[in-house]
Amino acid sequence: MTVNSSNRQSPWQLYYGPNMGYIQEQYEKFTQDPSSVDAAYQDMFRQWGPPPVTEAQAGTAGIAPATASAPDPAYYKKLVDAGKLVINIRTQGHLAANIYPLGTDSPPDTRLLEPETYNLTKEDLAAFPAALIWEDAPESIKNGWEAIQELKRVYTQSFGFEFGHIHAEDERNWLTRQAETGMAAKPLSSKERTDLLKRLMEVENFESFLHRSFAGKKWFSLEGNDALVPMLDEIVREVAHDGAKNIMMGMAHRGRLNVLAHVLGKPYSKIFTEFLHAPHKEPSEGSAGINFGWTDDVKYHLGAHRSVKAGETVETRITLANNPSHLEYVNPVVQGFARAAQDDRTAAGYPTTDFEAAACVVMHGDAAFAGEGIVAESLNFKKLIGYENGGTFHIIVNNRIGFTTHSSDSRSTYYASDLAKGFNIPIVHVNADDPEACLAIVRMACEYRHKFKKDFLIDLIGYRRNGHNETDDPDVTSPLVYQKQRKHPTAGTQYAEALKRRGLVTEEQVAKMKEEIVAKLQEALEEAKRPQEAGAKSLPAAVSDAPPRRRSANTATAVPLANLKAINDELLKWPEGFNVYGKLDRILKRRAAMLDEGGKVDWGHAEALAFATILADGKPIRVSGQDSERGTFAHRNLVMHDTVTGQKFCPLHVMPQAKASFAIYNSPLSEESVLGFEYGYNVYSPETLTIWEAQFGDFVNAAQVVIDQFISSGRDKWSEFSSLVMLLPHGYEGQGPEHSSARLERFLQQAANENWTVANLTSASQYFHLLRRQSMLSETVEAKPLIMMSPKSLLRNPKVASDPSAFSDGSFLPVLEQPGLGGKPEAVERLIFCSGKIAIDLDTAIDAYKEDLSWLHIARIEQLYPFPKVEIERLITRFPNLKEILWVQEEPQNMGAWNFVEPRLTARAPKEVPVRYVGRQKRSSPATGFTEVHQQEQQRIIAGAFDRSSLTSKGKSREPQSAR
């Protein structure tokens, strides 16, 4: 039934126990001074009089209890339903919000936002005090009806809030209060409004000028989401005010030129020059070579840097990361930039992280945000200890279409942003045609990050004024959308009209603004048209603050034995009372004697010694991977766990020789995002020896885009110097197709212009020296990534362990010769080249070989790229009676190093000496899944290598031999 004014129940029926006591206390204050209590209670006391006295209170006070009629269940029902209505307005109000500039073809179901759905009338709601409906209602709101109307207005404006999925109550309450009361208290000033109008006009006229001046070109304009630029301006102002010295930005190509011009300050003339003088790149988005060793990239992939003064002494550096057309793959890279800028790596232990020192802004496409898995992988960094950055600003530059694909075809979710709900990220959808609303949301996002140090997502919903690019005809696939869009005024036009109505600007002032902007653009175009000096094209600026040195100062990697022993002692110490796992205790104690005379240093300990000596040199180290603290194969154990308390301890953090930080993290189960993050971290902090380790080398398949687009080509495309180390466990041990091959052939196929080093080592000391060399080359123009086929079973193979003297007196050798062979050069008829584990298999076979092997020599190519030409040539010329050269490998013939080394060996072999192959036959799968088959194949390879009867006579060539 309907509760009307004649039979409504007193609100005192809702209070009992301590709550009733509180109400009575408030009433006593009211009788003494009405203004001393909340306005809502003032209204209640005036309307309903004093609250009743309970029987217990009456007996204590010696007075008669107040009488009241029995509670009306209908009253409670109405109040509960009113509560449901409020909850649904808060959680579902975004469905009715005005967030679509072009409207929506299928209006959502918003019945849950209407009182009628709950059988509530205006009179029902007006009977409740506003405070019962809305606890933070402004004083001007007097009753429940007014509260509901105001809440509906708040939640259905030009922004739609989604906070209901936030688990943390304090965050959810803060966000709700900000939405309902906080944002209204921060209106823009008149100057801020005119500045905003000018910015929108700069954005709009920049695009229209490009259309007029460069018809037929493409640049993926921002039109339809023009508010993005003032939003970025606002983020820069806010976070700089909070003390950020670096702001890292990542985005795809849409709108990039506008952001470069107006947020990064890239001169118009430089942008126009790239239009006028760039090589022809149609029909693909690729780029032609400009000069040897630096290929450049298309203008809408390039990044930039800008320093801005946020105050008298504070300078903030803005970096927009280079990004290929793989859209979202810059996300982890730029997050790596940010974390590197926040970490202080100058002292031993883990780096000290200051989240306020840098901020990260990532701009997404709506179709890509929902469609590309790298997004979810990167969102997962939000609160991971080794990857968090104090909150990333996510902005979906949402034009509601992906190339030609509409939202209904590109995602299964209602919003493009829905993925972020699973990571407890606040989401606000905002209408790109309401620039003031856009700035209000940015300010909320900045306050949220500052307070909670977590991510925030803004879904900037606009449209796409042109096709996928400026040469595309969108009417072919979206005729109705573009009929509507052509009649739709731009955001700048709409805002100018709004300011005219408010009397803040005149028509003449708006016209003058446009005239000045266009004149500046025209002047820049004239400058760009002037003859360019030959060869004047400059390299992109380095991402890191410190430019690379021209040459490395020192590459001597040996360390005096006394120093190594002192470090070794520290590596085997742990705090008093620390309970080391018994098995691990025995393993570690065996390392105590490894550097003594007659000792042997295994792979794991060689790595620990390398790390320790690099830290002693003052170079920080960062290691990550899915099991990096222990090592997938339990060889590292740099982080120990107390068996009683679970407390962690790392000796590299406390050894007195350490002069820089050592960070080691077990990464999430992601290859693509983690590798991208580590690349970004290393590019921004080139002094850091940054290492990513795959659980198995095969899993690097899942990171192929980062390898192709960033690691292998970043230096040539963007002048990004990286010394990132990739450890990829590789070796054929009968563990099947997914636990054998790190796809060595792919890295060799991409090897060119000395873009990286590819190694497949067989000695612990080689690993020690290579790591130290890699660290020494960082921060120089010689810095390059190191791709290493790291061992599995060889980790504990005694043939891989090295003498102590190899560390104190040796260096890295790109080619190693087999000990005990080749002593009689004139007798050698077959020279075997190999690399990696197969070399140890051959070494093991020699031990069992009873016949004379003077006719045979074996050499291990430890560094496959850059190919050791000089060392190979010297080796071959030592053997005057050579009949053939064999390449022996464990991988199938179409994989591994054969196709890479064969032409290089042939070019250096004597004319009459053929180069043959011994190994597995060609396959589509990297390895067999049957252990018995694997063993048979391996035996055939070894037998073929030692089969003297198959020797080829000089001048004759034979087909490559494979294990069948």
Side-chain angles (χ1 to χ4, degrees):
M1 69 176 184
T2 301
V3 178
N4 54 42
S5 58
S6 61
N7 62 4
R8 282 179 293 153
Q9 295 295 312
S10 163
W12 311 136
Q13 305 284 344
L14 302 173
Y15 297 91
Y16 54 89
N19 290 333
M20 176 57 78
Y22 175 76
I23 291 296
Q24 290 169 339
E25 181 183 345
Q26 294 299 303
Y27 182 71
E28 290 178 12
K29 291 182 178 179
F30 173 77
T31 59
Q32 297 171 13
D33 179 10
S35 64
S36 66
V37 300
D38 189 272
Y41 289 124
Q42 295 178 34
D43 294 341
M44 291 170 65
F45 295 142
R46 291 189 180 103
Q47 183 175 0
W48 299 99
V53 179
T54 65
E55 291 187 23
Q57 293 168 322
T60 301
I63 59 175
T67 59
S69 59
D72 185 351
Y75 181 85
Y76 292 112
K77 178 72 165 60
K78 299 292 183 184
L79 190 58
V80 170
D81 287 342
K84 292 179 181 178
L85 174 58
V86 171
I87 290 173
N88 282 319
I89 289 173
R90 285 173 170 159
T91 58
Q92 305 295 322
H94 56 87
L95 295 174
N98 177 31
I99 56 176
Y100 299 105
L102 300 182
T104 179
D105 297 330
S106 53
D109 184 352
T110 58
R111 287 174 293 177
L112 289 177
L113 310 181
E114 303 303 327
E116 293 80 8
T117 302
Y118 309 89
N119 294 318
L120 293 171
T121 66
K122 179 178 180 179
E123 292 76 17
D124 293 335
L125 293 169
F128 298 123
L132 289 181
I133 301 298
W134 180 10
E135 57 274 22
D136 294 321
E139 290 187 8
S140 58
I141 305 298
K142 300 301 182 185
N143 58 52
W145 172 256
E146 293 180 4
I148 293 298
Q149 297 309 302
E150 178 62 15
L151 285 171
K152 285 183 65 177
R153 186 195 68 79
V154 166
Y155 282 95
T156 60
Q157 295 181 85
S158 296
F159 24 64
F161 302 101
E162 288 197 272
F163 304 144
H165 58 281
I166 303 299
H167 292 167
E169 186 176 3
D170 60 333
E171 294 178 38
R172 191 173 62 252
N173 290 340
W174 184 90
L175 289 162
T176 300
R177 283 193 297 272
Q178 286 291 306
E180 296 174 1
T181 61
M183 295 174 65
K186 305 166 190 171
L188 297 181
S189 66
S190 297
K191 183 179 184 306
E192 287 175 325
R193 287 184 168 120
T194 54
D195 288 346
L196 175 56
L197 173 61
K198 182 178 180 181
R199 194 52 140 180
L200 290 171
M201 293 183 68
E202 287 175 339
V203 171
E204 180 180 330
N205 282 282
F206 174 77
E207 301 287 4
S208 58
F209 189 84
L210 291 179
H211 284 293
R212 293 194 302 272
S213 303
F214 304 106
K217 300 287 186 179
K218 62 180 179 181
W219 62 91
F220 303 92
S221 82
L222 184 61
E223 293 163 285
N225 287 95
D226 304 38
L228 175 65
V229 168
M231 290 170 73
L232 295 176
D233 290 338
E234 189 69 16
I235 289 176
V236 170
R237 280 192 291 268
E238 291 286 333
V239 299
H241 180 269
D242 290 337
K245 297 181 178 63
N246 285 277
I247 301 172
M248 311 301 182
M249 297 184 179
M251 68 184 301
H253 43 272
R254 185 164 307 285
R256 178 177 284 261
L257 294 191
N258 218 310
V259 170
L260 283 169
H262 298 115
V263 181
L264 278 296
K266 186 172 183 177
Y268 290 146
S269 59
K270 189 170 183 179
I271 294 174
F272 297 158
T273 298
E274 291 169 355
F275 276 95
L276 291 166
H277 302 293
H280 187 59
K281 297 182 178 68
E282 299 294 348
S284 71
E285 294 177 14
S287 58
I290 294 176
N291 55 43
F292 184 77
W294 186 56
T295 63
D296 197 4
D297 202 350
V298 288
K299 51 190 168 291
Y300 39 80
H301 291 171
L302 298 177
H305 313 281
R306 174 194 179 195
S307 292
V308 295
K309 288 284 188 181
E312 291 299 319
T313 58
V314 178
E315 183 176 79
T316 299
R317 187 169 188 256
I318 310 170
T319 299
L320 177 64
N322 303 293
N323 189 31
S325 281
H326 285 70
L327 304 177
E328 302 289 335
Y329 281 84
V330 75
N331 300 358
V333 175
V334 77
Q335 287 175 278
F337 285 178
R339 180 58 183 264
Q342 294 168 344
D343 280 353
D344 181 352
R345 296 170 289 275
T346 57
Y350 278 104
T352 302
T353 305
D354 177 9
F355 290 142
E356 297 295 346
C360 183
V361 184
V362 180
M363 289 152 273
H364 310 269
D366 52 308
F369 190 87
E372 294 194 4
I374 191 70
V375 176
E377 289 190 28
S378 301
L379 293 178
N380 191 41
F381 289 148
K382 177 184 144 184
K383 293 303 291 181
L384 299 183
I385 188 170
Y387 306 87
E388 61 182 327
N389 60 41
T392 295
F393 296 104
H394 301 274
I395 303 175
I396 297 180
V397 187
N398 190 341
N399 54 41
R400 305 183 67 197
I401 195 167
F403 205 149
T404 65
T405 304
H406 292 265
S407 300
S408 58
D409 297 316
S410 66
R411 64 175 186 264
S412 296
T413 57
Y414 187 80
Y415 290 116
S417 59
D418 283 349
L419 173 67
K421 291 180 181 178
F423 296 91
N424 274 282
I425 298 173
I427 300 169
V428 181
H429 313 277
V430 62
N431 191 321
D433 273 0
D434 187 343
E436 290 192 17
C438 293
L439 295 195
I441 294 304
V442 166
R443 291 177 177 180
M444 173 192 277
C446 292
E447 288 186 34
Y448 176 83
R449 180 190 184 271
H450 182 69
K451 184 175 181 65
F452 296 105
K453 305 295 186 290
K454 293 182 179 179
D455 294 23
F456 195 101
L457 188 146
I458 301 173
D459 184 13
L460 177 65
I461 303 179
Y463 54 91
R464 192 179 70 189
R465 188 160 287 278
N466 306 296
H468 174 63
N469 59 59
E470 289 66 29
T471 65
D472 178 46
D473 182 1
D475 289 81
V476 176
T477 50
S478 305
L480 300 182
V481 171
Y482 279 87
Q483 288 172 22
K484 184 185 297 185
Q485 182 261 107
R486 289 190 184 92
K487 301 174 185 177
H488 189 77
T490 65
T493 299
Q494 293 183 59
Y495 194 56
E497 293 302 318
L499 295 193
K500 288 178 195 175
R501 290 192 295 271
R502 295 180 185 180
L504 296 179
V505 295
T506 64
E507 182 68 43
E508 291 74 19
Q509 288 173 317
V510 173
K512 186 177 180 182
M513 276 187 195
K514 180 176 180 179
E515 181 182 336
E516 291 174 349
I517 292 168
V518 173
K520 186 177 180 181
L521 290 163
Q522 187 62 46
E523 181 182 353
L525 179 60
E526 296 304 320
E527 180 183 344
K529 287 180 177 179
R530 295 183 191 123
Q532 300 290 303
E533 181 182 344
K537 192 169 185 63
S538 61
L539 292 172
V543 172
S544 171
D545 287 322
R549 299 191 305 267
R550 295 309 303 171
R551 302 289 297 177
S552 58
N554 175 29
T555 54
T557 55
V559 177
L561 190 57
N563 294 3
L564 290 173
K565 287 185 174 182
I567 284 173
N568 196 43
D569 290 342
E570 298 298 331
L571 291 177
L572 299 176
K573 291 180 181 178
W574 43 81
E576 185 176 353
F578 190 88
N579 301 285
V580 180
Y581 178 52
K583 182 179 178 181
L584 179 58
D585 180 65
R586 293 189 296 272
I587 292 172
L588 294 176
K589 285 181 177 176
R590 282 201 297 268
R591 294 180 174 180
M594 286 184 176
L595 290 172
D596 295 341
E597 186 175 352
K600 290 281 189 177
V601 180
D602 64 16
W603 188 279
H605 200 43
E607 179 185 71
L609 291 171
F611 288 167
T613 56
I614 290 168
L615 295 175
D617 291 340
K619 290 273 192 172
I621 300 173
R622 176 184 167 95
V623 184
S624 81
Q626 287 158 16
D627 307 278
S628 285
E629 290 184 357
R630 187 194 75 174
T632 297
F633 310 100
H635 75 284
R636 182 170 292 126
N637 295 303
L638 286 178
V639 178
M640 295 179 279
H641 297 76
D642 189 298
T643 57
V644 176
T645 66
Q647 181 182 356
K648 292 184 177 183
F649 171 73
C650 177
L652 290 172
H653 288 161
V654 297
M655 70 175 198
Q657 294 91 341
K659 299 175 185 175
S661 66
F662 178 75
I664 184 166
Y665 301 106
N666 288 336
S667 75
L669 195 65
S670 306
E671 287 79 31
E672 195 91 71
S673 62
V674 175
L675 184 56
F677 187 99
E678 302 305 341
Y679 172 80
Y681 194 103
N682 180 240
V683 166
Y684 193 83
S685 60
E687 80 283 4
T688 306
L689 178 65
T690 307
I691 299 173
W692 175 74
E693 181 178 51
Q695 192 176 59
F696 280 86
D698 313 62
F699 303 165
V700 78
N701 281 328
Q704 200 63 47
V705 171
V706 171
I707 294 166
D708 293 349
Q709 302 299 330
F710 293 91
I711 298 173
S712 74
S713 56
R715 185 178 64 168
D716 284 359
K717 290 192 296 187
W718 308 317
S719 191
E720 285 186 351
F721 289 84
S722 169
S723 56
L724 177 70
V725 178
M726 293 172 59
L727 301 181
L728 310 178
H730 176 85
Y732 280 58
E733 292 144 340
Q735 296 190 56
E738 277 73 60
H739 297 89
S740 297
S741 176
R743 296 293 188 173
L744 171 62
E745 63 278 358
R746 295 181 182 171
F747 295 100
L748 294 175
Q749 184 185 43
Q750 291 179 277
N753 305 125
E754 297 197 0
N755 60 329
W756 53 27
T757 300
V758 181
N760 195 8
L761 308 184
T762 60
S763 159
S765 62
Q766 286 279 86
Y767 182 40
F768 172 88
H769 290 295
L770 190 56
L771 284 178
R772 286 186 50 76
R773 186 183 77 173
Q774 187 72 3
S775 174
M776 291 174 178
L777 292 177
S778 65
E779 299 182 270
T780 75
V781 292
E782 299 167 73
K784 65 186 75 170
L786 168 60
I787 314 301
M788 213 182 82
M789 306 293 107
S790 58
K792 295 179 289 182
S793 65
L794 298 189
L795 290 168
R796 295 171 180 84
N797 193 309
K799 289 185 176 294
V800 175
S802 301
D803 293 332
S805 60
F807 299 87
S808 59
D809 302 320
S811 63
F812 177 75
L813 299 174
V815 178
L816 291 180
E817 296 185 51
Q818 176 65 40
L821 295 183
K824 298 178 180 179
E826 67 282 355
V828 173
E829 298 177 315
R830 172 181 290 169
L831 175 58
I832 291 177
F833 285 104
C834 56
S835 187
K837 176 182 170 293
I838 194 68
I840 303 302
D841 294 339
L842 292 171
D843 190 356
T844 303
I846 290 174
D847 294 341
Y849 208 83
K850 305 302 182 183
E851 299 178 21
D852 175 36
L853 289 176
S854 61
W855 60 276
L856 176 70
H857 192 45
I858 300 175
R860 310 168 185 178
I861 302 182
E862 302 275 289
Q863 177 181 292
L864 288 159
Y865 186 81
F867 192 70
K869 304 173 186 177
V870 174
E871 291 85 350
I872 297 294
E873 288 171 357
R874 286 175 182 167
L875 185 61
I876 292 174
T877 56
R878 273 177 37 205
F879 307 112
N881 297 315
L882 202 61
K883 291 185 177 179
E884 68 178 7
I885 295 173
L886 290 191
W887 175 258
V888 179
Q889 69 177 36
E890 54 189 347
E891 303 89 351
Q893 186 178 349
N894 57 318
M895 302 177 193
W898 166 245
N899 289 324
F900 175 82
V901 301
E902 187 274 331
R904 290 164 174 82
L905 292 177
T906 299
R908 285 156 186 86
K911 187 174 182 181
E912 69 279 9
V913 176
V915 176
R916 295 199 299 116
Y917 167 86
V918 174
R920 287 176 171 82
Q921 63 186 6
K922 295 179 181 178
R923 281 194 176 136
S924 59
S925 175
T928 179
F930 298 98
T931 304
E932 295 82 1
V933 173
H934 161 78
Q935 292 172 346
Q936 291 174 6
E937 291 176 340
Q938 204 74 3
Q939 289 169 4
R940 288 174 184 171
I941 294 172
I942 301 300
F946 289 97
D947 182 7
R948 190 173 185 180
S949 66
S950 65
L951 266 172
T952 305
S953 299
K954 283 190 176 183
K956 296 182 179 179
S957 177
R958 297 178 63 178
E959 291 298 316
Q961 179 182 342
S962 58
R964 298 184 181 277

